[in-house]
Amino acid sequence: MIVILLGPPASGKGTQAVALCTRYGIPQISTGDMLRQAQAAGTALGKDAARYMSAGQLVPDSVVIGLVGERITADDCKNGFLLDGFPRTQAQAEALDKLLSEKQCPLDAVLQLDVPRELLVERAVLRRTDKATGKIYHLKYNPPPEGAVLEHRSDDQEDKVNKRLDDFERVTTTLIPYYQARGLLRRVDGVGSLSEVQARLFAALPG
Ligand code: AP5
């Protein structure tokens, strides 16, 4: 099972990826998480990416394509994987096609989470991540347990969220017709409780 989770910033990709990956026994490949890990480790790649991420800008294609290209050769990707936040540009989508054709692995589905913009801003601004477990919470819709040490992402300030949403609408939505034309796109309503959205995503997947 090779699946792309496509959706605007804060649409619930990271939250829903956990349940999808558990169900299908595949790893989650989140380019955002990989870049944040590189940043926390202080690698040259992480430092370079941080300049773009903290400004709410996309990291250059060559960097993320390199990360994904290497990650999908790992052993745990033998039975498939879920891509969360990749591809986001036409160049990334074409690079992925090339990588998958080299592996002789077809793409099964592209799940597009639809959430209105005003809700996305609220979801991002009130998002908090548990520093110890990496779990994603929301101060209003999915409150963290008492005592959790929480992080607020620097790119979750309202002005940066709006910049990220603008980029999504301008750049990443061009991938919708790209995958639609190949019959791979499944649009899923991302508004509702976590379990309602999860059930819709499961129903949208083949088999
Ligand atoms: P990345 O980490 O991928 O950020 P993103 O796509 O902007 O997505 P988010 O992590 O913001 O949101 P999400 O959809 O995972 O939502 P979540 O589940 O957390 O990328 C960060 C940056 O890295 C980019 O800006 C860019 O700089 C760089 N980057 C990464 N990939 C790149 C690429 N391919 N190319 C170039 N640059 C790249 O949920 C959000 C909140 O909503 C949470 O608080 C959650 O609890 C809550 N929530 C979730 N579901 C619901 C629900 N149903 N109802 C109510 N609340 C909900």
Side-chain angles (χ1 to χ4, degrees):
M1 172 76 79
I2 299 181
V3 182
I4 293 173
L5 204 42
L6 186 73
S11 54
K13 302 184 299 295
T15 301
Q16 296 296 343
V18 178
L20 288 165
C21 288
T22 305
R23 182 176 195 190
Y24 293 100
I26 52 175
Q28 171 191 4
I29 301 182
S30 157
T31 41
D33 286 349
M34 289 163 91
L35 292 165
R36 279 185 289 276
Q37 279 156 14
Q39 211 174 313
T43 64
L45 186 150
K47 283 182 190 158
D48 193 32
R51 291 191 291 126
Y52 297 94
M53 293 170 79
S54 59
Q57 291 169 358
L58 290 178
V59 170
D61 287 334
S62 57
V63 175
V64 281
I65 291 167
L67 279 177
V68 171
E70 192 182 326
R71 179 65 183 86
I72 65 175
T73 62
D75 258 9
D76 64 342
C77 292
K78 275 194 179 134
N79 295 324
F81 44 86
L82 178 143
L83 291 164
D84 160 9
F86 180 94
R88 287 188 202 222
T89 65
Q90 186 69 31
Q92 291 178 22
E94 286 168 13
L96 178 66
D97 285 344
K98 193 159 174 273
L99 288 166
L100 294 182
S101 104
E102 279 161 15
K103 271 174 86 78
Q104 296 186 322
C105 292
L107 184 57
D108 292 282
V110 179
L111 302 172
Q112 156 77 22
L113 270 178
D114 288 320
V115 178
R117 182 159 177 148
E118 59 279 10
L119 271 185
L120 293 170
V121 176
E122 187 194 40
R123 284 190 186 183
V125 170
L126 296 181
R127 169 178 30 205
R128 298 293 183 273
T129 311
D130 186 316
K131 234 183 144 169
T133 63
K135 275 193 167 178
I136 304 165
Y137 294 101
H138 190 276
L139 296 181
K140 185 170 161 189
Y141 299 118
N142 184 22
E146 222 172 286
V149 181
L150 301 172
E151 273 187 329
H152 186 201
R153 274 169 47 177
S154 64
D155 59 350
D156 275 346
Q157 288 153 9
E158 193 164 341
D159 57 333
K160 289 176 189 157
V161 173
N162 277 308
K163 163 91 183 69
R164 288 158 58 205
L165 290 170
D166 289 344
D167 279 353
F168 179 84
E169 283 162 19
R170 190 175 49 85
V171 181
T172 309
T173 53
T174 61
L175 301 183
I176 295 172
Y178 182 74
Y179 289 120
Q180 216 157 22
R182 288 156 59 179
L184 290 169
L185 194 85
R186 315 267 184 278
R187 293 198 93 127
V188 175
D189 182 3
V191 181
S193 68
L194 299 190
S195 55
E196 281 167 347
V197 177
Q198 181 184 309
R200 289 178 204 141
L201 286 165
F202 284 177
L205 280 172

